[in-house]
Amino acid sequence: MTSVRRAAAVLVAALLVLTAAAGARAAGYRYWSFWDRSGDRWTYATQGPASERPDDGSVRGFRFAVSADSSDANRPRGAADFGSICAKTPAKAGTKRVALVLDFGTRADAPSGESPPATRTVCARVSPDASTAEALAEAAKPLRYDSNALLCAIAGYPARGCGEQVAADGKPSTEAAPKNDGPSLGLPLGLGVVAVLGGAAFWQARRRRDA
């Protein structure tokens, strides 16, 4: 029983460390997320704006916020109807129209010393093969990107920063931002290690009992 208790204590300690680490990362990252509009719903885009080439009549959205990953990212707010957004931009041969919803987020998500502009909608008229990034550049300059081509600012907002990690107190963390916006694997992998350790301890105790 001593070995079992010792193993259990190790497992509990490991779980507490992993849980604390996950909590420290809970606030997430401050960045622009990219969304596709289908019917009356927003869906987190599976391609980056530079890769996606929307059809004429499409609606795309961008939201600036602090989020841990794509599963808890905040959706763009406000009306997102193509007919309304592009009502004053008539169709033109040899071009396509893409409606864009630009949600600059809330004051709580804004970097220190900055205030988010009001949410706006724009209709970009671009060439038929243009990407969403090109439509955005046409309608919401100036844009700012980092050296890894991560979208940092739309219409000049925010003036500084790019995908930085934000601690629970709302201040930037010193930890580097991830290279993608996928969910953190630290806690699931850690729990998997705990499960393996638990199984090993169980079999070790059983072998000693049967010996």
Side-chain angles (χ1 to χ4, degrees):
M1 290 299 293
T2 300
S3 62
V4 174
R5 289 175 180 172
R6 189 174 301 163
V10 171
L11 294 175
V12 170
L15 183 58
L16 288 174
V17 170
L18 291 166
T19 302
R25 293 193 296 269
Y29 299 86
R30 182 184 286 121
Y31 68 103
W32 280 101
S33 57
F34 174 43
W35 300 80
D36 293 337
R37 183 79 173 183
S38 179
D40 61 351
R41 297 186 62 183
W42 287 112
T43 303
Y44 200 91
T46 56
Q47 299 183 69
S51 302
E52 188 192 56
R53 301 187 182 280
D55 296 328
D56 179 70
S58 297
V59 179
R60 297 294 181 262
F62 293 85
R63 171 71 188 266
F64 187 78
V66 174
S67 58
D69 52 53
S70 60
S71 65
D72 79 336
N74 294 310
R75 293 169 172 75
R77 299 166 296 174
D81 176 68
F82 175 82
S84 300
I85 296 173
C86 289
K88 296 182 179 180
T89 307
K92 183 178 180 180
T95 67
K96 67 180 178 184
R97 295 171 297 164
V98 180
L100 301 172
V101 178
L102 310 177
D103 187 339
F104 296 85
T106 66
R107 187 175 295 274
D109 290 327
S112 178
E114 298 197 51
S115 298
T119 297
R120 70 178 75 164
T121 59
V122 291
C123 185
R125 191 193 338 247
V126 290
S127 63
D129 63 345
S131 66
T132 302
E134 290 172 314
L136 186 64
E138 178 68 24
K141 296 176 182 178
L143 305 181
R144 178 166 57 86
Y145 291 87
D146 72 357
S147 59
N148 295 313
L150 176 67
L151 178 62
C152 304
I154 295 177
Y157 182 83
R160 59 190 180 280
C162 191
E164 67 272 17
Q165 189 181 44
V166 179
D169 59 4
K171 297 180 180 179
S173 168
T174 56
E175 183 175 335
K179 292 186 181 301
N180 58 53
D181 57 5
S184 172
L185 297 180
L187 185 58
L189 287 178
L191 291 177
V193 172
V194 170
V196 171
L197 289 174
F202 170 80
W203 285 111
Q204 182 181 25
R206 182 173 179 177
R207 286 178 62 187
R208 289 181 177 178
R209 186 176 64 248
D210 293 342

